[in-house]
Amino acid sequence: MSRKIVVTSGKGGVGKTTICANLGLKLAEMGQKVVMLDLDIGLNNLDVVMGIENKVVYDISDVVEGKCRLKQALVQDLRCPSLYILPSNKIFSTTKINSYNIKAIVEALGDIFDFVIIDCPAGIDSGFHRAVYSASEAIVVCTPHISSIRDADKVLTILNSYKLSSIGFIVNKVRGDLIVNGQMIDVNQICTLLKSNLLGVVPDDDTISTCKSMGITQTRGGDAFEMLAKNIHFGQNKIYDYKSKYTGLFGALKRKIRQKFQ
């Protein structure tokens, strides 16, 4: 049975699309058939993040309007054959896109793929509800900042009104050096505030890339995404250690060096 997971956030700029892309890639590398569906209509950039923007012929609006078959609109990632993307359209040009036909598309994709990952638009307007309506699980992305945490809490409250089998959250852009220095909210505090299931922690890592050709496998971010993918697929509960390298004498030196060059 396929898993239909919507990835959402209370506000933009938290790295939601990057989370989708890397999670989809890691699951595909684990042998799963994965499709990522971009529902951020009008502000879509999953195709750009995945480097397939020049390969897009049809998009989701063409599927909804009957201009092409669903399989015709899917774009295969050439680096990972079991990973596909269903692009969104750049302009909201049709009123035919609604919760019901999006759900029909997601259900059809669920017959083909092991994982359907839905990149949801930020916020809680109609685009949010359209995406969540199609999903059976939800992941909320936030950062260690008060405004992001507060918005994530609101989104989690709304998600609880849906009949979802699983709801959890990811903390993105975590700076272990700042947390050890007391300059950033600790992930444990965020867990206390949100009262939800922590699925993963992703460090603020400049080397994170969604493209294999640019190399994500041996980065701190790559390790964190691999843990995240295993947590979601196998039900594990391993969280990336974001603090240990910044503790002790050598850790203090690393903190000073990193902050000096930020």
Side-chain angles (χ1 to χ4, degrees):
M1 184 176 179
S2 69
R3 296 177 62 181
K4 307 170 186 69
I5 305 174
V6 62
V7 181
T8 185
S9 64
K11 63 186 302 179
V14 298
K16 174 175 51 61
T17 298
T18 301
I19 294 286
C20 279
N22 282 279
L23 175 59
L25 181 57
K26 285 297 183 183
L27 287 169
E29 288 177 344
M30 291 164 54
Q32 300 300 298
K33 289 191 66 177
V34 182
V35 62
M36 297 187 294
L37 171 57
D38 191 346
L39 284 187
D40 199 353
I41 299 170
L43 295 173
N44 56 304
N45 58 12
L46 183 59
D47 56 337
V48 176
V49 170
M50 293 302 298
I52 59 141
E53 68 272 22
N54 294 327
K55 301 180 183 298
V56 175
V57 178
Y58 298 108
D59 57 46
I60 192 169
S61 65
D62 295 316
V63 177
V64 170
E65 294 178 347
K67 295 179 180 178
C68 70
R69 290 178 286 110
L70 177 57
K71 288 186 178 181
Q72 287 180 294
L74 296 176
V75 181
Q76 185 179 30
D77 188 308
L78 297 178
R79 300 152 304 182
C80 195
S82 63
L83 177 63
Y84 289 78
I85 298 94
L86 177 56
S88 180
N89 49 321
K90 295 180 173 59
I91 302 174
F92 196 97
S93 58
T94 176
T95 57
K96 294 182 180 179
I97 298 179
N98 56 48
S99 298
Y100 301 104
N101 49 42
I102 292 297
K103 186 175 180 64
I105 289 174
V106 171
E107 291 294 329
L109 290 172
D111 293 334
I112 307 171
F113 295 93
D114 300 312
F115 282 88
V116 181
I117 299 177
I118 304 166
D119 188 5
C120 176
I124 53 174
D125 59 9
S126 59
F128 165 85
H129 293 282
R130 187 166 53 231
V132 176
Y133 180 76
S134 308
S136 56
E137 303 175 49
I139 298 173
V140 179
V141 181
C142 71
T143 61
H145 302 91
I146 291 297
S147 58
S148 177
I149 296 167
R150 185 173 64 178
D151 288 344
D153 185 49
K154 294 176 183 177
V155 171
L156 286 166
T157 300
I158 296 172
L159 289 173
N160 284 326
S161 67
Y162 281 85
K163 294 180 179 179
L164 299 170
S165 62
S166 174
I167 302 174
F169 72 98
I170 296 169
V171 185
N172 192 27
K173 301 183 180 181
V174 173
R175 287 276 302 271
D177 57 325
L178 296 183
I179 290 176
V180 172
N181 282 342
Q183 297 172 289
M184 180 175 276
I185 301 173
D186 197 330
V187 173
N188 292 327
Q189 293 175 280
I190 297 175
C191 291
T192 301
L193 292 169
L194 294 183
K195 298 181 179 66
S196 186
N197 181 33
L198 176 65
L199 296 172
V201 171
V202 180
D204 187 7
D205 185 356
D206 292 337
T207 60
I208 289 177
S209 168
T210 57
C211 300
K212 282 186 182 177
S213 59
M214 299 174 68
I216 70 167
T217 55
Q218 297 302 318
T219 67
R220 290 176 290 140
D223 293 339
F225 280 116
E226 186 169 346
M227 288 184 186
L228 172 62
K230 289 181 178 179
N231 286 347
I232 291 172
H233 182 38
F234 298 115
Q236 296 180 357
N237 189 30
K238 294 183 179 179
I239 304 300
Y240 177 80
D241 187 350
Y242 54 93
K243 287 196 293 188
S244 63
K245 67 177 293 184
Y246 295 111
T247 58
L249 181 61
F250 289 106
L253 181 59
K254 289 178 182 178
R255 296 200 305 271
K256 289 182 179 179
I257 292 173
R258 182 169 188 186
Q259 293 182 46
K260 181 178 181 181
F261 291 98
Q262 289 298 318

